[in-house]
Amino acid sequence: MRMCDPPGSLERDPNVNFAYLDERTKRMIRRALLKAVCIPGHQVAFGSREMPLPYGWGTGGIQVTASILGPRDVLKVIDQGSDDTVNAVNIRRFFQRTAGVAVTTDTTRADIIQTRHRIPETPLREGQILVFQVPAPEPMQRLEPRQSETRKMHGLAEYGLMHVKLYEDIAHYGHIATTYDYPVLVNNRYVMSPSPIPKFDNPKLNMSPALQLFGAGREKRIYAVPPYTAVTSLAFDDHPFEVQRWESGCALCGSRASFLDEVLTDDHGGRMFVCSDSDYCTSRQGADVRSVISDGG
Amino acid sequence: MSEQTLDLNLQEVGAAFSDPVLSSQAVFRAALAALSRPGRIQSVPHDAQQPPGATPAAAALLLALLDPDCTVWLAPRLAGGAVSAWLRFHTGCRIVSQPAAARFAWSDADQLPLLQQFALGSEFEPEISTTCVVQVKALDERCGWRLSGPGIPGRQRLAVAGLGAGFLAQWQANHNLFPRGIDVLLCAGQFLAALARTTAIEA
């Protein structure tokens, strides 16, 4: 079953400009986006606007989406991989009301996908744009809180601090303990926060056919990874980068290739693991739900 | 601010987009696609009446991206013609006389100054650099240069008619400055292709 609003249920509000933002704000964001694409991984400052929802709810991503969106684009919004959680539903309805655009939950049909904390399992294609909501754009913020200093570090490509942090993980825990928002090196130059996606998704950033845009509303930063751009996860020769693995497949669709969420099923320790990407999981259930059932039986 | 008076005859100033919201969005997306995929030719359809001397794609780009926050340098032929009045009337941008003071530049290929004369940005703020809109005679992505870099799987061909012989050496120097450097949007007719500062060019 696919969750979708019936057509015509959300009328375009004629009292707001197309996609909510005023035109001069869109132009400012568009100019920032063009420069961000030319300097992959570099954070470009922009004049983030007050949006009709609080910081932390995707104001950066919404402003980026509002600035790129056109009337013929098909929009998909996901929150932790799901199309039907509160943040995703609200943002999708926001753009239906302010821009009248078509929306979908189908990754393959979407032109623009705004996401919080996941990259879809279904491989993206050329021409698609993935817009990330970013809470903390500066990957070294917890190591060096002064922005004047981190800016210098980026300018001089001085990333020793970041490697020390990863090394201290190894010294303390025997492995790199960062599991999400795992820092990456873009185009062999800038260290970048991939936003709080699980490190499971980091390999999908590399040489993606889709354009990837990142918006941080509270921190007022925009950055980008163009299509077909090298993105490597930081690691050491003797401690290579690894992604999470699970002992079993998804309890609903059987996939062994997707990122799984743990779901508690009762008060007695019962639990199951299911795909976090709801569109991927439901489309697989539609395709081979019978084979999974017979496997389970 | 006041030294730039706008002396124009409104009867002679061509109209801008009939739908500024959606046309600006469409033109921006063409520019975004072009800079995301350097060397790939994008079409920029629009209904603005560009002034004499302006290439349709170049006029649409500047109309869509400029406003009073922007400084623009115009090459001599464009600065002397109707382009300057048209651009200032429709966008409110500020025209500057030094390429290094401009966030945008608009030039014919044969009047392009040395690329190093534009604003190149700093190591800390490499985005504070000029975006050059260059009008060329023709673009062809089936032959010519071999481009590589971010946005390009393997190699991308691009032939540009009208650029001076010294361009490639200047571009190489610009490319080597990364993360500093300028970015170029090449316009011919209603088409455009881009060179990002990350783009390496082999002749």
Side-chain angles (χ1 to χ4, degrees), chain B residues 17 27-28 30-31 44 56-66 133 185 187 192:
Chain B
F17 303 129
V27 171
F28 161 73
V44 193
L61 272 175
L62 291 154
L63 203 52
L65 295 174
L66 296 188
V133 176
L185 293 156
C187 299
L192 81 98

Side-chain angles (χ1 to χ4, degrees), chain A residues 17-18 23-31 33-40 42-45 67-71 73 111-112 126-127 129 151-156 187 189-190 207 209 211 213 226-229, chain B residues 20-22 24-25 28-29 31-33 35-37 40 63-70 91 103-104 123-132 149-154 178-179 181-183 185 195-198:
Chain A
N17 189 30
F18 179 81
E23 289 304 299
R24 195 158 169 184
T25 296
K26 286 188 205 167
R27 272 195 299 270
M28 174 269 295
I29 293 174
R30 287 167 182 168
R31 292 192 298 261
L33 284 168
L34 293 182
K35 281 305 188 193
V37 165
C38 294
I39 317 166
H42 170 68
Q43 301 165 49
V44 177
S67 302
I68 65 177
L69 191 65
D73 286 320
D111 299 305
I112 296 172
E126 273 188 26
I129 303 178
R151 185 182 289 185
K152 274 184 214 161
M153 292 166 165
H154 286 296
L156 303 172
N187 189 30
R189 175 59 180 78
Y190 280 100
M207 301 305 276
L211 170 63
L213 305 175
Y228 305 112
T229 298
Chain B
V21 173
L22 299 186
S24 296
Q25 186 273 338
F28 161 73
R29 281 288 283 278
L32 183 67
L35 283 164
S36 305
R37 299 295 309 275
R40 285 269 289 260
L63 203 52
L65 295 174
L66 296 188
D67 60 29
D69 292 337
C70 301
T91 71
R103 297 294 286 273
F104 285 85
E123 297 287 351
F124 306 140
E125 290 180 311
E127 72 273 24
I128 312 291
S129 70
T130 310
T131 301
C132 296
I152 303 169
F178 188 85
I182 64 161
D183 310 293
L185 293 156
L195 300 172
R197 65 190 77 181
T198 51

